[in-house]
Amino acid sequence: MHSTTTPSIVLDSQLARSVHEAALGPAVHHVPAACLNCSTLVPDRFCGHCGQDAHHTHRLTMGHMLHEIPHSIWHVDKGILYSIWNILIRPGSTIRSYLAGQRKYHFPPLSLLLLVTGSYAFISAVLHIDMLPPRDPAIPEAVWQAQKSSVAFVAKYMSWVYVGLVPVIAAVARLFLRRGGYNYAECLVIAAFITAVCNALTLFSLPVSYLYSGTSYITKVGALMSLVSFGYATWAYSAMLAHTGLSLAGRLIRGLFPFVLGIIVPSLLIGIVGASLQLNTLKKEAEQQRLQTQHATSAPAPAAAPKH
């Protein structure tokens, strides 16, 4: 008995090509060319083997380079600002879409975090922003110097401390966002994205900090930015549970803990350890200053010169 198998759909290649060109226009049609990167024959624009653009490999010119610089900064997979803006205004849906596989137009989370943090560290170092108000005369010199060194450390390294704490934040997020069904690797992505946006908010506030550098208002500026970061992080983590059916209050309470337990508590512990290490030095300097003051007040007054 003779049997034949008939395909369910017979597709004419010429018909498919004509329909494709009619839908997309003749501008998208390319004559097959060999990819200059891997030598694969490429019938369309991009190589299916290595992904290189096979039809836009013209000789580099200064005009091309001047176009490429801003294009690389602002339009790499839709750009850095595209990722920051979308995670800022709709963190839940944006990050969930990324986790679900819609990753073409977003910067990778770790790259975004390192780039934003590095930009903040570089710009703040160039601006030399003083995060302390003018010295109160009642504060001893030793205490003032300790405050200056502590605040300088925080201003210079705290954004990198946040980067180092991302695994801790992810572990806390894994605990409090478990209703969302996220594994630890996905919580790392969530923490990296949200921490990147928090650091970006601090980066964008640098002009204001520079304006009030070393003035009595600088502490208020720092407190306001910390409050903004805290509020955003709480809302962003809570937005990761928007699909779970939890109430707004329940989501906000769960969104509070990744920032508090992942950043605030470890930062306080680091501060306590640093303060305890400096405590003995402060005591010695304060005692030395007290002895110098006591010696100066108890020293006899110089004898008056004899009159002639």
Side-chain angles (χ1 to χ4, degrees):
M1 181 176 180
H2 180 69
S3 63
T4 60
T5 58
T6 303
S8 59
I9 298 177
V10 178
L11 182 63
D12 189 311
S13 60
Q14 295 295 331
L15 177 62
R17 178 177 297 178
S18 63
V19 172
H20 179 72
E21 292 177 357
L24 299 181
V28 301
H29 177 67
H30 299 283
V31 177
C35 175
L36 298 180
N37 188 56
C38 64
S39 301
T40 301
L41 190 64
V42 183
D44 208 338
R45 175 175 175 178
F46 295 98
C47 176
H49 183 261
C50 69
Q52 176 167 290
D53 189 334
H55 292 268
H56 289 76
T57 52
H58 51 75
R59 185 177 183 180
L60 298 178
T61 63
M62 285 304 300
H64 174 81
M65 294 304 296
L66 291 176
H67 168 77
E68 190 69 18
I69 293 173
H71 182 83
S72 298
I73 296 174
W74 305 113
H75 299 287
V76 175
D77 291 344
K78 286 275 184 139
I80 300 168
L81 293 183
Y82 177 85
S83 294
I84 292 175
W85 177 250
N86 280 275
I87 298 170
L88 177 65
I89 64 174
R90 42 178 178 269
S93 59
T94 301
I95 299 177
R96 286 199 306 272
S97 297
Y98 183 91
L99 296 176
Q102 298 178 12
R103 302 165 189 171
K104 169 65 178 175
Y105 301 117
H106 289 287
F107 239 67
L110 184 58
S111 299
L112 182 66
L113 176 59
L114 293 177
L115 187 58
V116 169
T117 306
S119 300
Y120 168 79
F122 174 75
I123 296 175
S124 62
V126 170
L127 295 179
H128 297 289
I129 298 174
D130 186 0
M131 298 301 294
L132 273 178
R135 178 190 172 188
D136 187 347
I139 298 178
E141 179 65 25
V143 176
W144 173 251
Q145 293 299 328
Q147 287 182 352
K148 287 184 65 175
S149 61
S150 299
V151 171
F153 174 84
V154 170
K156 187 175 182 179
Y157 297 110
M158 201 60 199
S159 57
W160 291 110
V161 171
Y162 290 166
V163 174
L165 288 175
V166 164
V168 179
I169 302 171
V172 179
R174 175 72 177 86
L175 177 63
F176 287 95
L177 302 183
R178 60 182 181 273
R179 287 283 293 271
Y182 305 110
N183 60 32
Y184 181 70
E186 291 169 333
C187 288
L188 279 173
V189 171
I190 295 169
F193 271 138
I194 295 177
T195 304
V197 174
C198 288
N199 286 350
L201 291 173
T202 308
L203 171 63
F204 297 148
S205 72
L206 283 178
V208 179
S209 299
Y210 181 74
L211 180 64
Y212 292 103
S213 175
T215 68
S216 57
Y217 296 99
I218 191 62
T219 54
K220 296 179 181 179
V221 172
L224 177 61
M225 290 314 304
S226 297
L227 184 62
V228 169
S229 295
F230 175 74
Y232 167 76
T234 299
W235 171 66
Y237 283 112
S238 70
M240 301 306 303
L241 297 172
H243 63 293
T244 61
L246 285 169
S247 65
L248 177 61
R251 297 198 305 268
L252 288 175
I253 291 174
R254 288 167 174 81
L256 175 73
F257 287 101
F259 192 89
V260 172
L261 298 181
I263 292 182
I264 295 181
V265 172
S267 299
L268 288 176
L269 292 176
I270 293 172
I272 291 172
V273 172
S276 63
L277 293 175
Q278 289 186 342
L279 185 59
N280 291 331
T281 303
L282 288 175
K283 286 182 177 180
K284 291 179 181 179
E285 291 180 356
E287 182 65 20
Q288 185 178 2
Q289 185 176 4
R290 186 186 66 81
L291 292 176
Q292 290 177 352
T293 304
Q294 183 179 1
H295 178 73
T297 55
S298 62
K307 295 182 179 180
H308 296 284

